[in-house]
Amino acid sequence: MDRVRVRTKAKYHRRRIVVALLLIAIIAGVIYTTVKLAGYTAETTLGSIKVSEIYDAVIIRDETAFTTLNYTRADYLVTEGSFVQSGTPVMEVYKRGYNDGMGANYQQISEEVYNAQLESLGDTRDETLINFNDLISEAEANVASAAMLGDEAGVIAYEKELQKLMELRNSYLKSVTQPTEKLQSLYERERLAKENLGGWVVELAAQRSGNISFYFDGYENALNKDKLSIITADVVSGAIKKRTAAQWATSEENLAYRIVNISEWYCAFLTATDEPLRLTEGRTYRIEVEGFGEYEAAAEKVVISGKNIVNVLKVEAEIGELIGVRNVKLKVDYEASGVKVETRSLLNLADGQYIDIEADGTQQRVEINVLACDGNYAIIEGNNKNLDGGIKYWVPKAKLIKYLKGLF
């Protein structure tokens, strides 16, 4: 009986040892698998990557928008994009309540005055009047021709010339015709009609010098150089998607004109916070605004806004036709050389971008700028720490990246 007990004890101990060894093997396998699943260590290298990306973007200008009291219609006295001095008349606006019948009434009376003046002159051949009429006919023909050619500046200039000639002819005829009772009555009616019309028409002068634009989309107040530091992704997204902008003028005002600095402007576009590539402040990029040309642009500091990054590029070049354009397709080109790492090692967090490196046996989180990225690899620079080739860094598996973001 004693021998049986000894054998049973020995067999029991052997089983415990086997179970323990199995458990150790299982635990070692779990640890090994966990480490493998979590990620691995790699070494930085040196290389270069060329970036070429296309974005939906918006144009932001250095401009001031001016308003006026509500009006029914407006006549523009200068052309879109032209330079104006402070005090230059730029618009004539017709107050709310004005109707075209008022202007037609004045024109009709003026025509009656002219016919009565001709009647008073009789058959007398007046060379000065003939010369005025020839000049007026020429000016009318020039207005029509410019309108057919789509020459906005020409139309405005010839209409001004026509108006001046007609006023000069009117003054001349008053000086050479006898003030009959009929003419006196017509002159009085003409004066009252002109005064009535003048009460409805307001001339607006430029409040400062610069290039003028009459284009508005409602985002002039929110998307402006002086708002760049507080720009939000919601505003940029709304402009990109052409949503109606928030009302910033009062209900008693109409937008009138803008004075624009044409030698400095900006492009803005959005990227997601979990995307590795974003603009690096101070870097110069080559951009192409589809349909408008190529430019060099310097990156402003990005703005982290919710789940998006607002990227802004500053262009110091003539704005041209972009003075009246908001939405564009923007191609951004850039080639970067430097420290090359796997894209999966990048931690794109809410407060910036980071990489975990191994130094002195410990893991350190280093803030970085991503200069270029081609999908699998990225070129980076340390934000406050110099990085070089041969540095060990941690590459987490893709499935754990989101988890890591939530922890830090």
Side-chain angles (χ1 to χ4, degrees), residues 77-84 210-214 258-259 323:
L77 307 180
V78 294
T79 57
E80 174 79 10
S82 61
F83 180 82
V84 295
N211 289 75
I212 196 164
S213 176
F214 303 106
R258 297 177 294 123
I259 297 294
I323 194 171

Side-chain angles (χ1 to χ4, degrees), residues 137-181:
S137 295
E138 184 181 345
E140 288 174 337
N142 288 336
V143 170
S145 178
M148 287 288 291
L149 295 172
D151 179 7
E152 182 185 353
V155 170
I156 292 173
Y158 290 131
E159 282 185 341
K160 284 183 178 179
E161 180 186 346
L162 177 60
Q163 183 178 0
K164 184 177 180 180
L165 285 169
M166 294 182 76
E167 287 175 354
L168 287 172
R169 184 181 69 177
N170 187 32
S171 296
Y172 171 72
L173 285 172
K174 281 185 178 180
S175 70
V176 298
T177 54
Q178 292 295 323
T180 64
E181 186 177 340

Side-chain angles (χ1 to χ4, degrees), residues 84-368:
V84 295
Q85 296 284 357
S86 178
T88 300
V90 295
M91 293 176 68
E92 284 184 344
V93 297
Y94 296 76
K95 298 177 185 177
R96 182 165 291 180
Y98 168 84
N99 63 74
D100 290 336
M102 298 174 186
N105 181 54
Y106 173 66
Q107 291 176 356
Q108 181 181 347
I109 295 172
S110 295
E111 187 68 23
E112 289 181 33
V113 167
Y114 177 62
N115 289 333
Q117 288 169 331
L118 290 181
E119 183 181 324
S120 178
L121 282 175
D123 295 331
T124 304
R125 182 175 176 83
D126 191 307
E127 294 297 334
T128 303
L129 177 60
I130 293 171
N131 186 49
F132 271 128
N133 288 340
D134 289 342
L135 291 174
I136 287 171
S137 295
E138 184 181 345
E140 288 174 337
N142 288 336
V143 170
S145 178
M148 287 288 291
L149 295 172
D151 179 7
E152 182 185 353
V155 170
I156 292 173
Y158 290 131
E159 282 185 341
K160 284 183 178 179
E161 180 186 346
L162 177 60
Q163 183 178 0
K164 184 177 180 180
L165 285 169
M166 294 182 76
E167 287 175 354
L168 287 172
R169 184 181 69 177
N170 187 32
S171 296
Y172 171 72
L173 285 172
K174 281 185 178 180
S175 70
V176 298
T177 54
Q178 292 295 323
T180 64
E181 186 177 340
K182 178 179 180 180
L183 278 174
Q184 291 282 35
S185 175
L186 286 171
Y187 289 156
E188 180 62 16
R189 286 176 58 199
E190 183 183 42
R191 184 186 67 79
L192 292 173
K194 187 175 182 179
E195 284 184 359
N196 181 52
L197 185 62
W200 291 96
V201 181
V202 178
E203 184 179 84
L204 301 183
Q207 294 188 37
R208 66 180 179 87
S209 300
N211 289 75
I212 196 164
S213 176
F214 303 106
Y215 158 87
F216 284 95
D217 68 351
Y219 282 95
E220 290 73 24
N221 191 46
L223 293 179
N224 203 324
K225 177 188 175 182
D226 62 4
K227 298 292 198 312
L228 286 177
S229 62
I230 57 172
I231 194 171
T232 67
D234 286 342
V235 171
V236 176
S237 176
I240 288 173
K241 295 177 181 178
K242 299 181 181 179
R243 296 196 194 106
T244 302
Q247 182 69 29
W248 58 271
T250 70
S251 60
E252 298 178 349
E253 294 177 319
N254 273 31
L255 303 175
Y257 63 92
R258 297 177 294 123
I259 297 294
V260 184
N261 173 10
I262 63 169
S263 60
E264 176 187 320
W265 47 281
Y266 303 80
C267 300
F269 61 91
L270 301 177
T271 54
T273 52
D274 58 2
E275 289 181 41
L277 189 59
R278 61 184 69 168
L279 298 181
T280 302
E281 183 180 6
R283 293 273 173 174
T284 300
Y285 296 80
R286 189 70 185 171
I287 66 171
E288 179 182 350
V289 183
E290 187 177 283
F292 297 94
E294 297 183 357
Y295 310 88
E296 282 194 348
E300 300 281 295
K301 184 177 181 179
V302 298
V303 177
I304 300 174
S305 177
K307 295 182 178 180
N308 290 291
I309 303 292
V310 182
N311 299 269
V312 180
L313 287 160
K314 178 182 180 180
V315 183
E316 293 183 317
E318 290 291 315
I319 195 169
E321 293 181 3
L322 289 169
I323 194 171
V325 174
R326 180 70 70 193
N327 296 82
V328 296
K329 283 285 185 183
L330 183 69
K331 182 181 178 184
V332 180
D333 290 322
Y334 183 67
E335 186 169 4
S337 299
V339 177
K340 189 174 183 179
V341 298
E342 293 187 41
T343 304
R344 286 190 303 181
S345 67
L346 307 177
L347 298 172
N348 306 299
L349 309 182
D351 62 344
Q353 294 177 293
Y354 299 86
I355 190 170
D356 291 331
I357 66 171
E358 294 184 7
D360 301 325
T362 62
Q363 197 173 82
Q364 298 178 9
R365 179 152 294 178
V366 177
E367 187 173 4
I368 59 168

